[in-house]
Amino acid sequence: MWIATLCLAALPQSPHTEDLSRAAPERTIFWLQTTELAPVLDEGLDHPLVRRVLDHPLVREDLQAKGQHPEAALAFVEALIGESPLELAAALSRRGVGVGLLPGSETEPRAFVAMRGANLDSMEEAIDVIAAAAATFGGLEALPEAARKELGPRVRSAWSIDDDGAEAALSEDGTLFLAARHDDLREATTGSGRAIELRAARRALGQGSTFAWVDLDAFEETGALDELRQAVEEPATHFVFGPVVAYGTAAGSLAIGVEFGESGLTVRSLASGEVDEFGAATFPSEKGSAARLPLPSDDEVARAVLHRDVATLLAQRTSLFPPRSQPAISEGLANFALLVGGPDAVDELFASLEPEIVLLAEHVPFEAKAVPDIELPAACIVARLRNPEVNGPRVVGAFQSLIALQNVQRAQEGKPGLVLGLAPLEGTTMTTAHLPPPSEGDGVDLAYNVAPGCAVVGDSVVLATHHALASRVATRIARGETGAASGGAVDQLWMRADAVEALVAENRDLIELQSVLEDGKTEARARMEVDLLLELLGSIGTIEMTTSGGSGSPLEARLRIEWAQ
Amino acid sequence: MTKAEWDAAAAAHVLGRVGFGADRERVARAVDEGFEATLAEVESRRAHPRALTSKSVERLVSLGELEPLRARWMALILADGAPLVERASLMWHGHFATSNAKVDDVRLMHRQNELFRSAGLGDFRTLLHAVAKDPAMLVWLDGDRNRVGAPNENFAREVMELFALGVGAGYTEQDIAEAARAFTGWSVTKRRFVDRTEYHDRGEKTLFGRGGVQRGEDAIDRVLEHPECPRWIARRLLVTFVEPEPNRAEIDRWSRVLVSEDWHVGRTLARIFRDERFLDPEVRRNRISGPVETIARTALATGASVAPADAARAAVEMGQALFEPPTVKGWDGGRAWIDTGTWLARHNHLARFALEGPFDPVRAFGDVPRSEIARAVGELLLPDGVDADLAAALERAAREASTSDDAARAATALALTAPEFHLA
Amino acid sequence: MTHPPLSRRSFLVGGVRLTAIGALAPMAVAAPIARRAEVDRILVVLQLSGGNDGLNTVVPHGQDAYYRARPTLAQDAGSIHRIDEHVGLHSALGGLSELYAEGSVALVHGVGHPAADRSHFRSMEIWHTAEPFAPAGRVGWLGHLADQLSAREAGSLPALSVGGSGSLLSMRGATAVPPAVPSGDGFRLAEAPAAVARERAKLVQARGDDGDLAFLRAAARSAYDAADRMGAITRESSSVEYPDHALARELRLVSQLVRGGFGTRIFHLELGGFDTHASQSAVHADLLGRLDGALTAFQRDLEASGDADRVVTLVFSEFGRRVQENGSRGTDHGRGNPMLVVGSSARGGQHGQRPDLGALVEGDVAATTDFRGIYRQLERDWMGLEPLSASKVEAPRVI
């Protein structure tokens, strides 16, 4: 096997596609490599992003408080070694830098570093500078010949770094390896099975400039992932986060690739491992089963199309979820049965539910008398039913019963009940509920954001936290103003950063006040932090998240951030 | 006031009694500026940070949660923008002790709190009338359940027993029943006071042996005319600002001042502060300081920026949950502040504050040489002086630390958890 | 207390089964119990907040009216733990039903007070102050006991609220308010450098000052001492396995403090969440399961350490719930409710009148036993102290 690795490694590669991951030692449990560092180091503190960060009042305040002065620190090091430390670092990482973690002896993991310069000459030059600086502390000591030979024919020089066994080696392709142990170094320079695994993962991701990989199984042994590992057994993970996330938490390893581009940033993550047959049934069975999606409006904040096969999840519940979860599910179903008119009705209703569910968030106009002090966008869920004439009324009935139930509770607490209403809508009727108008002159509580509406239009159930949105969406569906979501994905989620930015901007006084009260920040500091958040959101156009996989293909989550135009 | 008596200890006393305390530089400036200038400044400071009084506070209240409300009050106290206003608000909160445990509506609690803030230093008669119609109070003492034919005496009883006259001070059970009849019909609808005349008992009521009382307002006026009323209020002011157990002569003297100042709380306090007794060493550090006060003066003396929400939570652990006083009597105060649980809460909060919290020794004491740290800690936190044992203990704690930062922290932890610090 | 109290040891020697003493009960009616010296006896009060549904706790399976009134909530007669042909315990109360069979549970039916009030706040106030008529007293019945104990031994910790807040009205005395112990963990002292800890210990020693300063020094001293002792006591593990939830942790702490001789005689604990207006069945079963698991483990723990005869646990709730279930598969605030007194010194069995669902008061189970009559037995006969309420209402004997 390792001969194959050597052969692969020996193949000539262009500087940009050349893969540092082949340097990973055998027991690597975490790996991170990037070629993005050198360009930043080249410009040093004058890099526009670095400059912007350092000049930010928040950062300046922090650095000042800690008594740190980056410029002075760099100048100090430069005086010491006779060369700019940033330039030196850039030279060392011209073709990339990789960092690995290996299980350490005790609690601390062992680190491993690989740096690749432009070529052997430039690396040797840089190492000479370091060696000269190190001379004042005793210098670098070359490894004995026998030890160096163990590192394979491609290693030109090797040094012992400290008394604890750390070593460094320079290979003929201009890669500098730093390892805490001789064995790690040998595996890195002569090849390991782990390196092959990593390269395969990296290829699957499509060779972005930055790549990370984590061995979840290894971390599981440390107990650090207990909660994550239990998530796949939690019904909530499946119903809320969907099948890809649920089974992703059970993956053996996770590979992550980041691609920076002019127009945006893409992060892809691939999970290894298989989904069992019960779980597989909760993924979309055929690709391209497109959901009907109401067309977006200007008030839109976010939208999502999610694959939640509720009927299958419930039908398979005894296989999918552990016994401890069963009573809660049964209780939930029994309660729901009370709302829709019996257990049979529940079964029929869920069986008729299309697994593609659409979620929307939009700004809605509130009635002048009941504009909440903290105005939140309304959220709407759209689901399609296979047998709407029977199941539609069941949903509406359940909605009405739920409101009635709320009112029983509210009455016990001495609070006014929600007012139920009916409104005609595109040939159907929408059921609405709202709190009685707030008293004049008072502020309007957060609760006034909830004034739900529910309607069945054709085969679509529309349920929204605010009836204005329910009505808007139902109208669009009734008039056929719909498009189709692109197929192939399990879940898709879009978010408009400017809408989130507007939300933060509208509520910034409250966000700042909370950070003054909760974190003890000064008003000025809280204001700067919100400014920074707004600046960040302002630089983003849209955020899109997609998950895919199942039925044979690997589980993938993809995040795409488009910069603002 | 002779100049000799006006020293750092006296200045710290004024700044810590009228307000919640002050840092090293403020105390030093007060010593320079003199008693009257110092007092006038702390009495009249009315500069709450804008963020804590702006419209966003209404939005904070609209979240419907008690914790942010508590944190906001704590923030007003810690910001030290209007110290006397907040001291008075805290006093009236304890006096009219309304708890959200029953009211269950933070908006009403907030409104009552703002009432204390705006009217707490004005005419007590106006305040009592306003509190009687305050929706939180009406819910708290069942005013909203008090109807003709089915009177609820809860509010009428407490007006006499706790708010205006004092336990058994010149009234009878019959007076309570009559007053309750006068208050019938006062209720709350949609968070507003309403006078539901259909539930009002229209018969004439006799209070303290005199007829002529019809409505709730008449009953309040009659209670305010009772000779015990100014005494009870004067007593409350003295207990809060001067001494835990004022004698009868002092109470009488100040009740006359209260009446002569037209029941104006702020003006009466101004005279109390300028009275000879206020600076008497006998009344300094003569009371066990309450949790909110302890937390605030620790933060203000050291100049540390404490997160208000953390401070409010610490106060809850120490036994003072703002907006949730334990009974209609409010917090008993004094020795009732201290039990095993609350002492450990004080100790743990203050020790952590000094050893690992937001406390910054350089900000608190300036750049003092290590050998001077123990002395500086004593001067700042226990300005009336420390006895030889405590001074030696501070020295030892500072000396055994490894760095001067550690030394200052150790000595501060020791000073803050010393029983002496909890007298203020 | 005319009989000389028998020493604790005399009953442990020879491993005499302590509940056998119950046979002596008839003799003890006139003169209150003398099984353990009163100064050794401990009262644990467990408050079920929100209004526990008594009819689904002690199920009247013998009455058809119960099944008619509760079409969805009624407990199946086959799944409950039958006590007799009339009543049985909820299916989640397996441990308590065993304790009942062993004679360690006194079950009092229809407990309440004459001035029923459906407000949680008011109703709790009445239970806490043992005063149904006059408004809001300021001294609670347990606080009153603590006052008397404190008067005997200043600086002691006669009562503790475990896990809850320190501001419970029932625990407020005229002079002392018993402290609250943080849940499970007990009193703990924040870490400090050795020099600070050493100097702190010296500073709180009595130094001849008086007034508040002396008081503070003494209070601090006993607080540090309590933290030390509690730390040492809680390092000892229990032989009995407790479930993993807050109430169980709190009761384990109580058992450790009892066993370790901490000196506290009154413990107050709370289990909330009983205000089940809607979809109550799973929630209520879960709460009863917690109660059962924690209380059974506690009792077994006390039995194992030989302390079972000196501890009684009173379990109460501010009111029961209406007989008729509401439209949302829950129940609304009611009146009379069963009360439990658990311990090997309790007079095991049923007491008072079983609820008669054919004779309801405004749709509620009638309150046929005044809770003050039970309090009185615990205050006077068990703890040997003066009761708070002067009313000498009658109630069946439970200890």
Side-chain angles (χ1 to χ4, degrees):
Chain A
M1 178 68 88
W2 66 270
I3 295 177
T5 320
L6 273 185
C7 293
L8 276 173
L11 289 171
Q13 284 171 325
S14 82
H16 291 293
T17 57
E18 202 169 356
D19 197 349
L20 261 182
S21 61
R22 73 169 174 206
E26 185 60 46
R27 299 179 63 213
T28 302
I29 54 174
F30 172 79
W31 181 262
L32 171 70
Q33 67 179 56
T34 182
T35 53
E36 297 288 339
L37 200 58
V40 177
L41 291 171
D42 279 340
E43 293 185 66
L45 300 185
D46 295 326
H47 187 280
L49 192 68
V50 174
R51 193 72 269 165
R52 208 160 130 195
V53 169
L54 286 178
D55 283 348
H56 197 280
L58 273 176
V59 177
R60 275 228 300 269
E61 196 179 282
D62 280 355
L63 289 175
Q64 219 150 27
K66 290 180 190 141
Q68 289 172 345
H69 308 281
E71 286 91 348
L74 286 172
F76 175 76
V77 178
E78 188 163 346
L80 199 70
I81 64 175
E83 193 156 328
S84 153
L86 294 180
E87 273 171 35
L88 189 65
L92 287 169
S93 58
R94 179 64 55 214
R95 285 186 297 156
V97 55
V99 180
L101 289 180
L102 289 80
S105 46
E106 283 150 33
T107 48
E108 283 287 292
R110 224 155 66 224
F112 174 87
V113 178
M115 308 174 93
R116 183 171 291 163
N119 51 48
L120 188 57
D121 289 349
S122 66
M123 281 307 263
E124 281 176 337
E125 263 174 49
I127 291 167
D128 283 347
V129 174
I130 297 172
T136 48
F137 307 104
L140 293 174
E141 189 188 333
L143 275 191
E145 182 66 12
R148 192 185 63 76
K149 278 205 163 148
E150 280 180 4
L151 301 176
R154 300 191 309 132
V155 168
R156 299 290 294 260
S157 331
W159 305 270
S160 164
I161 300 178
D162 64 11
D163 297 338
D164 295 332
E167 295 177 0
L170 179 66
S171 75
E172 58 190 13
D173 67 347
T175 308
L176 176 67
F177 302 86
L178 301 165
R181 284 191 194 171
H182 181 69
D183 285 352
D184 296 346
L185 193 62
R186 184 175 45 76
E187 286 161 6
T189 53
T190 59
S192 73
R194 190 46 48 99
I196 297 173
E197 200 179 336
L198 258 64
R199 296 187 63 192
R202 179 147 189 260
R203 271 156 203 263
L205 282 170
Q207 315 281 320
S209 62
T210 300
F211 166 74
W213 181 89
V214 55
D215 182 345
L216 292 175
D217 284 340
F219 274 100
E220 185 172 10
E221 284 166 22
T222 67
L225 300 179
D226 286 354
E227 271 180 38
L228 181 77
R229 289 307 206 198
Q230 275 183 5
V232 72
E233 294 193 340
E234 291 299 324
T237 318
H238 293 260
F239 286 101
V240 179
F241 295 102
V244 175
V245 174
Y247 289 99
T249 62
S253 65
L254 212 58
I256 298 157
V258 186
E259 224 177 313
F260 299 89
E262 289 288 306
S263 62
L265 170 74
T266 307
V267 183
R268 290 179 68 198
S269 88
L270 280 173
S272 71
E274 289 290 308
V275 178
D276 63 24
E277 54 170 320
F278 300 109
T282 66
F283 285 82
S285 52
E286 63 207 55
K287 291 197 172 170
S289 64
R292 217 162 59 205
L293 203 55
L295 292 177
S297 80
D298 291 344
D299 292 316
E300 183 165 276
V301 177
R303 56 169 45 208
V305 183
L306 310 175
H307 180 92
R308 296 288 177 275
D309 195 341
V310 180
T312 305
L313 282 170
L314 291 175
Q316 306 271 32
R317 64 179 184 271
T318 49
S319 319
L320 288 169
F321 308 120
R324 66 183 149 81
S325 306
Q326 301 297 334
I329 301 177
S330 303
E331 178 66 16
L333 284 175
N335 283 337
F336 192 59
L338 181 80
L339 297 177
V340 296
D344 294 343
V346 174
D347 291 346
E348 279 179 42
L349 181 62
F350 284 134
S352 85
L353 201 61
E354 295 281 356
E356 262 70 40
I357 291 166
V358 175
L359 290 177
L360 297 165
E362 290 185 16
H363 287 291
V364 289
F366 287 91
E367 277 172 49
K369 275 185 297 183
V371 182
D373 286 0
I374 301 164
E375 223 179 304
L376 299 177
C380 177
I381 182 166
V382 183
R384 286 163 69 198
L385 298 167
R386 272 191 280 270
N387 203 353
E389 53 292 337
V390 178
N391 289 308
R394 282 180 175 148
V395 175
V396 175
F399 175 76
Q400 290 167 346
S401 308
L402 196 68
I403 303 296
L405 211 141
Q406 278 294 316
N407 282 348
V408 171
Q409 193 109 14
R410 292 179 65 89
Q412 291 286 349
E413 292 163 7
K415 293 174 182 158
L418 291 150
V419 183
L420 269 172
L422 292 172
L425 180 82
E426 301 285 327
T428 176
T429 309
M430 179 172 64
T431 308
T432 63
H434 61 89
L435 288 165
S439 30
E440 295 279 332
D442 254 345
V444 181
D445 288 350
L446 195 64
Y448 279 86
N449 279 291
V450 181
C454 176
V456 177
V457 206
D459 63 355
S460 297
V461 177
V462 178
L463 177 64
T465 58
H466 197 281
H467 54 75
L469 180 58
S471 146
R472 202 187 277 170
V473 171
T475 307
R476 276 182 238 153
I477 292 172
R479 296 182 181 163
E481 294 167 5
T482 53
S486 60
V490 177
D491 291 346
Q492 276 177 287
L493 194 151
W494 300 263
M495 205 186 294
R496 273 174 45 190
D498 62 344
V500 180
E501 187 188 350
L503 201 62
V504 172
E506 274 165 31
N507 293 297
R508 67 171 302 157
D509 62 332
L510 192 67
I511 297 169
E512 287 167 19
L513 182 56
Q514 286 279 43
S515 102
V516 167
L517 296 180
E518 272 299 324
D519 307 324
K521 301 209 165 102
T522 63
E523 272 182 73
R525 172 104 193 166
R527 200 160 45 240
M528 283 193 280
E529 285 181 357
V530 174
D531 283 339
L532 182 65
L533 178 64
L534 287 172
E535 196 180 318
L536 204 68
L537 287 168
S539 66
I540 297 173
T542 57
I543 300 168
E544 181 182 351
M545 274 179 279
T546 316
T547 66
S548 59
S551 56
S553 51
L555 301 179
E556 177 179 352
R558 184 175 171 278
L559 171 72
R560 169 78 188 160
I561 295 173
E562 290 277 343
W563 306 135
Q565 294 300 312
Chain B
M1 180 75 36
T2 62
K3 187 129 202 239
E5 291 168 308
W6 183 245
D7 55 9
H13 172 71
V14 169
L15 292 164
R17 274 287 168 88
V18 181
F20 287 94
D23 64 9
R24 190 174 49 98
E25 284 164 12
R26 178 72 188 91
V27 173
R29 205 170 75 233
V31 174
D32 287 348
E33 291 175 355
F35 169 76
E36 181 53 39
T38 301
L39 177 57
E41 191 278 330
V42 66
E43 256 184 324
S44 63
R45 203 187 314 151
R46 297 280 191 280
H48 277 315
R50 228 172 47 81
L52 296 174
T53 50
S54 67
K55 187 84 183 137
S56 39
V57 173
E58 282 297 321
R59 283 151 61 84
L60 192 74
V61 174
S62 82
L63 293 171
E65 301 287 332
L66 188 61
E67 289 237 329
L69 203 60
R70 266 191 197 139
R72 184 258 181 167
W73 193 358
M74 208 68 209
L76 285 172
I77 291 169
L78 293 170
D80 205 30
L84 182 55
V85 171
E86 296 310 321
R87 264 235 182 259
S89 302
L90 194 57
M91 169 177 75
W92 294 129
H93 178 42
H95 186 83
F96 293 110
T98 304
S99 170
N100 192 55
K102 180 171 178 183
V103 176
D104 193 22
D105 187 332
V106 295
R107 205 178 277 282
L108 297 190
M109 297 307 294
H110 172 63
R111 214 186 287 156
Q112 189 189 68
N113 188 234
E114 290 293 299
L115 170 65
F116 295 150
R117 195 160 285 122
S118 64
L121 288 171
D123 186 334
F124 176 77
R125 294 168 303 188
T126 313
L127 180 66
L128 187 63
H129 274 285
V131 167
K133 291 181 178 176
D134 174 64
M137 178 57 79
L138 283 156
V139 176
W140 171 236
L141 290 181
D142 303 312
D144 54 346
R145 290 173 168 211
N146 184 18
R147 298 174 174 189
V148 59
N152 184 309
E153 296 177 355
N154 218 354
F155 177 69
R157 178 179 304 278
E158 305 312 358
V159 162
M160 296 183 207
E161 187 171 321
L162 298 172
F163 302 161
L165 305 180
V167 183
Y171 61 89
T172 63
E173 284 295 314
Q174 185 58 30
D175 290 324
I176 290 171
E178 294 284 300
R181 286 176 56 219
F183 293 125
T184 49
W186 281 13
S187 190
V188 180
T189 303
K190 285 186 154 186
R191 292 175 166 152
R192 297 281 165 200
F193 167 79
V194 283
D195 189 357
R196 305 184 65 171
T197 49
E198 70 273 30
Y199 295 136
H200 182 67
D201 184 334
R202 286 166 200 285
E204 193 188 318
K205 297 94 189 169
T206 301
L207 212 45
F208 312 130
R210 269 199 306 137
V213 170
Q214 278 296 341
R215 303 161 44 79
E217 291 90 342
D218 303 338
I220 299 275
D221 282 337
R222 185 64 60 83
V223 166
L224 284 163
E225 286 162 16
H226 195 291
E228 287 297 331
C229 187
R231 285 201 193 97
W232 186 243
I233 302 311
R235 185 177 182 283
R236 172 61 76 172
L237 301 182
L238 292 172
V239 167
T240 307
F241 288 95
V242 184
E243 54 195 322
E245 278 158 24
N247 64 33
R248 179 75 193 195
E250 282 290 295
I251 292 171
D252 284 346
R253 173 157 81 102
W254 291 108
S255 75
R256 286 191 298 272
V257 174
L258 178 68
V259 173
S260 74
E261 289 289 355
D262 224 8
W263 292 82
H264 197 280
V265 174
R267 289 202 300 269
T268 307
L269 284 175
R271 290 184 54 182
I272 290 176
F273 297 147
R274 285 163 180 81
D275 187 71
E276 212 177 338
R277 187 157 175 79
F278 186 63
L279 278 187
D280 190 331
E282 204 179 277
V283 307
R284 293 190 210 168
R285 280 178 56 195
N286 65 346
R287 37 202 264 302
I288 293 176
S289 79
V292 168
E293 184 185 349
T294 303
I295 293 164
R297 69 196 176 87
T298 305
L300 292 176
T302 57
S305 65
V306 176
D310 290 343
R313 282 188 283 269
V316 173
E317 280 170 26
M318 297 181 194
Q320 194 172 21
L322 291 175
F323 298 106
E324 284 180 334
T327 70
V328 282
K329 242 169 83 191
W331 291 279
D332 293 333
R335 295 187 181 187
W337 286 127
I338 307 295
D339 65 41
T340 294
T342 57
W343 178 265
L344 289 174
R346 279 180 188 234
H347 174 277
N348 290 350
H349 171 78
L350 295 170
R352 289 195 189 107
F353 167 85
L355 296 170
E356 60 204 54
F359 164 66
D360 173 3
V362 176
R363 165 71 182 84
F365 309 115
D367 221 351
V368 285
R370 187 148 172 200
S371 56
E372 294 292 301
I373 282 173
R375 187 194 47 75
V377 169
E379 276 177 9
L380 180 70
L381 299 175
L382 297 156
D384 284 283
V386 293
D387 63 21
D389 287 345
L390 182 49
L394 294 174
E395 287 289 352
R396 282 192 296 268
R399 203 165 49 227
E400 287 176 39
S402 51
T403 66
S404 74
D405 181 72
D406 285 347
R409 289 180 182 277
T412 303
L414 198 56
L416 293 176
T417 57
E420 285 86 344
F421 180 73
H422 297 261
L423 292 175
Chain C
M1 315 312 121
T2 47
H3 284 235
L6 299 174
S7 88
R8 179 179 168 192
R9 298 277 168 250
S10 65
F11 282 97
L12 293 175
V13 172
V16 177
R17 177 106 178 89
L18 296 163
T19 45
I21 304 305
L24 296 174
M27 295 161 57
V29 172
I33 315 87
R35 273 164 268 177
R36 277 280 181 110
E38 277 147 4
V39 293
D40 272 349
R41 292 201 199 120
I42 285 165
L43 173 61
V44 179
V45 175
L46 174 48
Q47 169 177 311
L48 309 180
S49 302
N52 176 36
D53 183 2
L55 283 177
N56 272 17
T57 306
V58 179
V59 179
H61 66 90
Q63 300 185 52
D64 285 343
Y66 168 71
Y67 291 95
R68 281 197 300 276
R70 304 226 161 156
T72 74
L73 292 181
Q75 293 297 298
D76 180 18
S79 68
I80 59 171
H81 301 280
R82 274 173 78 105
I83 287 180
D84 58 22
E85 70 273 31
H86 304 290
V87 296
L89 297 180
H90 187 283
S91 56
L93 298 176
L96 280 175
S97 80
E98 279 172 29
L99 289 173
Y100 181 90
E102 292 165 22
S104 298
V105 179
L107 166 55
V108 195
H109 293 294
V111 185
H113 48 76
D117 194 295
R118 293 195 204 278
S119 145
H120 293 288
F121 192 88
R122 174 66 188 136
S123 201
M124 232 10 144
E125 211 168 65
I126 292 169
W127 279 88
H128 284 173
T129 57
E131 177 48 83
F133 303 109
R138 275 138 219 174
V139 173
W141 74 291
L142 299 172
H144 183 66
L145 300 182
D147 279 345
Q148 298 172 59
L149 293 169
S150 294
R152 287 183 192 171
E153 193 188 343
S156 62
L157 280 175
L160 288 174
S161 296
V162 183
S165 68
S167 61
L168 276 167
L169 186 52
S170 60
M171 292 286 272
R172 293 190 77 80
T175 53
V177 181
V181 191
S183 175
D185 202 23
F187 293 133
R188 287 281 180 277
L189 212 50
E191 296 269 336
V196 174
R198 186 196 64 222
E199 297 302 329
R200 172 181 66 209
K202 280 193 248 169
L203 286 178
V204 297
Q205 295 310 312
R207 289 208 262 131
D209 32 34
D210 55 7
D212 283 343
L213 191 54
F215 164 81
L216 282 167
R217 259 189 243 292
R221 212 160 50 231
S222 54
Y224 299 145
D225 174 58
D228 280 352
R229 285 192 299 133
M230 201 176 274
I233 287 173
T234 54
R235 273 192 287 278
E236 304 291 324
S237 60
S238 299
S239 58
V240 171
E241 183 114 6
Y242 282 77
D244 183 22
H245 55 77
L247 180 67
R249 280 190 287 277
E250 288 157 17
L251 278 170
R252 185 176 54 205
L253 177 63
V254 173
S255 82
Q256 287 170 325
L257 297 179
V258 168
R259 204 163 41 242
F262 190 69
T264 295
R265 305 229 1 237
I266 299 164
F267 294 94
H268 189 283
L269 300 93
E270 188 180 355
L271 179 62
F274 285 91
D275 197 15
T276 50
H277 287 288
S279 303
Q280 84 166 35
S281 101
V283 177
H284 192 238
D286 177 61
L287 289 170
L288 291 183
R290 281 164 197 263
L291 171 68
D292 187 75
L295 199 48
T296 307
F298 177 63
Q299 193 58 30
R300 296 300 181 209
D301 202 0
L302 294 175
E303 285 170 7
S305 63
D307 294 299
D309 67 328
R310 64 186 189 109
V311 180
V312 293
T313 304
L314 170 76
V315 185
F316 83 100
S317 190
E318 69 264 46
F319 40 57
R321 310 201 70 90
R322 310 213 72 160
V323 177
Q324 186 74 42
E325 70 175 60
N326 64 23
S328 41
R329 293 213 302 186
T331 48
D332 300 329
H333 303 174
R335 214 171 286 231
N337 217 16
M339 180 191 241
L340 304 178
V341 179
V342 182
S344 33
S345 295
R347 204 176 281 237
Q350 296 179 62
H351 306 275
Q353 292 177 32
R354 271 193 307 274
D356 179 357
L357 303 191
L360 299 178
V361 180
E362 296 171 15
D364 288 333
V365 170
T368 46
T369 293
D370 191 318
F371 72 96
R372 292 173 294 169
I374 309 285
Y375 274 13
R376 199 173 177 77
Q377 295 172 49
L378 296 171
E379 293 164 308
R380 199 190 52 176
D381 304 341
W382 181 250
M383 298 296 284
L385 300 168
E386 271 309 304
L388 175 60
S389 171
S391 325
K392 291 177 182 159
V393 291
E394 285 302 315
R397 295 211 58 87
V398 293
I399 47 168

